[in-house]
Amino acid sequence: MQNTRLNNLLDVVGARLGGWLRNPWRRLSLMVISLLFGVFLGTAISTSAGQVAEWDIIAAAILVVFTEFASWIFYSITRRRGTRSLIIDMLNALKIGLTYSLFVEAFKLGS
């Protein structure tokens, strides 16, 4: 690529963002935010699909496909490379939060 001002600006912004995300506390905070967003997403999806009784099976199928796809991405990249990127770790935390939330909703319905 040519060395333009826009290209230089994007390189500098990318390098600073990468340096900012290398801090372990910031990485941990992003992981916790992703986990909590997964919990929120699971609760929102289950209550929205529960209001209209026609969407239960479709919502469950979509959530199962998402969790299986996220697991496939996480474990295939982990096996191929020794390390994981932040995006892949955040996707796994989102999946864990989503699954946890669905279990909590099932316990609420069972009691």
Side-chain angles (χ1 to χ4, degrees):
M1 257 201 229
Q2 283 185 334
N3 197 10
T4 62
R5 279 191 240 172
L6 180 62
N7 198 11
N8 289 339
L9 178 68
L10 290 177
D11 289 340
V12 167
V13 168
R16 284 191 181 178
L17 183 64
W20 186 78
L21 291 175
R22 278 192 201 96
N23 187 341
W25 287 106
R26 290 185 184 127
R27 185 178 179 96
L28 181 66
S29 67
L30 287 174
M31 297 289 291
V32 169
I33 289 171
S34 181
L35 180 78
L36 293 176
F37 183 69
V39 170
F40 167 74
L41 195 64
T43 303
I45 289 172
S46 67
T47 55
S48 299
Q51 289 292 323
V52 182
E54 301 166 356
W55 287 96
D56 289 343
I57 305 298
I58 296 168
I62 289 171
L63 291 176
V64 167
V65 166
F66 169 74
T67 56
E68 290 297 322
F69 184 68
S71 294
W72 178 72
I73 287 175
F74 181 76
Y75 291 113
S76 67
I77 288 180
T78 302
R79 189 176 337 136
R80 221 176 311 139
R81 293 187 253 153
T83 60
R84 297 178 308 264
S85 68
L86 178 64
I87 299 295
I88 300 299
D89 281 342
M90 286 176 61
L91 180 68
N92 193 40
L94 181 82
K95 177 193 72 159
I96 292 169
L98 184 76
T99 306
Y100 174 74
S101 173
L102 292 177
F103 273 105
V104 168
E105 290 294 322
F107 286 138
K108 281 196 266 184
L109 287 175
S111 62

